[in-house]
Amino acid sequence: TANNTLDVGFKPLSTDRRVRTLTVSGTTVYAGGIFTSTMGQPRNRVAAFNRTNGALLPWAPNVAGNGSNPCCNGGVMAMVMSPDQSRVIIGGGFDSINGAAIHGLAAVDATSGANARWDYRGVIRTNAVTKLVTDSNTVYAAIDDYGTSDGRIALDPNTGRARWVDLCRGATWALAVIDKVLYSGSHAHDCSRVQGGFPEISTGPDPKWQRLLAQTTDGNSTRILRWFPNTNGGDYSLPSDQTPSRLGPRTMTAAGDSLWVGGSFTVVNGKPQQSLIRFTPQPGPSAKVIPQPDGPQAKLDAARPDLPPSDNGNFPGGPAPDGKPDPGIDNQPAPTRK
């Protein structure tokens, strides 16, 4: 990372199929995907490599899936180390680990690969876990659903017990945590079952999607914060009038107090912005948006007096979703490529 040159000493040989996710401990690089072998050795969807030279390690949990979930062929989409580095949390669309029937979300020992305690069994067969992140004491999982529910889950990393489950609808594919706020990239369209959320906004012939959200992480419940910037979907292969069906944000990372978001979007908050955006805190001691007396945030506060005052997770955002298409975002054609 110091000079952007290739580390020629780290040379793991190829897997037979795709690697979709990585996580790293002090000594080991763990990989997950839909592969079944690497370096000529059987490795079912997960493998581990020496962090220094890329040598294949004996760690080999047996992850299996029948490919019934259309998003990921029964494979592994997300991995993260537990905060104490003792276990690897694994997410995806798989159906079992080491012969134990468990779908989509589980934990294994970081050294032996044996199954570790994981109490949560709420990821159903039509769900897949697409992203995992941690802070000092919690694992957060992003859900993509092909049946009934999407959203995010907060879990105890040592027991796998859920601390809270939000039921926002609209597949989530990106997560990041900054200062007790969980940021997500999705195509959320109904967060009515979450405190501070919004009702269905995707009905009608020209639906609206909210692709960026922020929510609290503390305690045994969560609430949606008043942070509503938005992107288009930006997929060049689809007509511009189909942009609401595109996901847009696909990855996030925190760098200090800044939030970086990458994806297939071409518009952010109604302005051209190609595939990468950085959100930074507002200046001033409070770092909060102060709503105008007649602005959309003030109206939302007045309509929901049961909620805390307007709070946008420290970053400037847009108005709350209202179900009305925004021509500057929802149906914005992608820029012409030269």
Side-chain angles (χ1 to χ4, degrees):
T1 57
N3 56 16
N4 199 36
T5 57
L6 181 66
D7 181 355
V8 297
F10 182 79
K11 294 182 67 175
L13 298 180
S14 64
T15 59
D16 65 336
R17 297 183 72 188
R18 183 181 303 173
V19 172
R20 297 295 298 264
T21 182
L22 300 171
T23 192
V24 182
S25 72
T27 61
T28 306
V29 176
Y30 299 89
I34 58 173
F35 53 85
T36 59
S37 69
T38 182
M39 297 187 183
Q41 301 296 314
R43 291 291 187 273
N44 287 325
R45 296 175 170 83
V46 292
F49 305 89
N50 181 286
R51 183 170 169 171
T52 301
N53 58 21
L56 182 66
L57 299 177
W59 187 86
N62 183 15
V63 181
N66 61 17
S68 60
N69 190 301
C71 91
C72 44
N73 296 316
V76 173
M77 299 285 290
M79 303 173 78
V80 73
M81 302 300 300
S82 63
D84 67 1
Q85 304 281 289
S86 69
R87 47 175 54 191
V88 183
I89 317 298
I90 299 174
F94 53 84
D95 299 310
S96 69
I97 292 188
N98 295 324
I102 179 171
H103 179 79
L105 185 60
V108 297
D109 186 272
T111 302
S112 69
N115 289 359
R117 176 181 173 181
W118 197 259
D119 294 352
Y120 187 71
R121 294 293 191 275
V123 182
I124 60 177
R125 289 293 293 271
T126 57
N127 292 167
V129 172
T130 57
K131 180 67 177 178
L132 293 164
V133 296
T134 64
D135 56 22
S136 61
N137 59 16
T138 304
V139 173
Y140 305 94
I143 305 296
D144 188 355
D145 173 71
Y146 288 81
T148 58
S149 61
D150 303 292
R152 278 75 53 190
I153 309 168
L155 306 115
D156 185 309
N158 299 310
T159 66
R161 287 189 174 183
R163 291 180 171 150
W164 50 257
V165 179
D166 87 44
L167 296 173
C168 279
R169 302 197 65 183
T172 302
W173 279 75
L175 295 175
V177 181
I178 303 177
D179 293 335
K180 298 183 179 181
V181 175
L182 179 67
Y183 297 91
S184 59
S186 67
H187 59 266
H189 56 89
D190 182 356
C191 292
S192 58
R193 293 177 287 179
V194 186
Q195 185 183 22
F198 48 87
E200 179 64 68
I201 58 174
S202 67
T203 56
D206 199 5
K208 184 180 178 70
W209 264 254
Q210 179 61 40
R211 294 186 175 89
L212 293 168
L213 292 175
Q215 62 196 109
T216 59
T217 62
D218 281 353
N220 294 319
S221 64
T222 186
R223 65 181 174 88
I224 303 297
L225 298 174
R226 310 303 175 80
W227 184 73
F228 298 114
N230 211 359
T231 78
N232 71 343
D235 187 340
Y236 286 111
S237 67
L238 295 176
S240 61
D241 62 359
Q242 294 184 26
T243 50
S245 67
R246 307 170 187 167
L247 183 58
R250 298 300 294 260
T251 186
M252 290 179 166
T253 192
D257 59 0
S258 294
L259 175 69
W260 289 85
V261 180
S264 59
F265 53 84
T266 60
V267 174
V268 178
N269 290 341
K271 297 180 180 180
Q273 184 74 25
Q274 178 68 52
S275 298
L276 187 66
I277 186 73
R278 180 170 66 104
F279 294 96
T280 57
Q282 291 196 115
S286 64
K288 304 294 182 184
V289 165
I290 301 175
Q292 297 299 312
D294 297 322
Q297 297 288 351
K299 293 177 181 178
L300 186 59
D301 289 340
R304 295 294 303 274
D306 56 310
L307 299 182
S310 291
D311 179 352
N312 75 333
N314 295 336
F315 299 112
D322 59 6
K324 298 177 181 179
D326 182 342
I329 296 174
D330 296 307
N331 290 317
Q332 179 71 34
T336 301
R337 289 183 290 180
K338 298 180 180 179

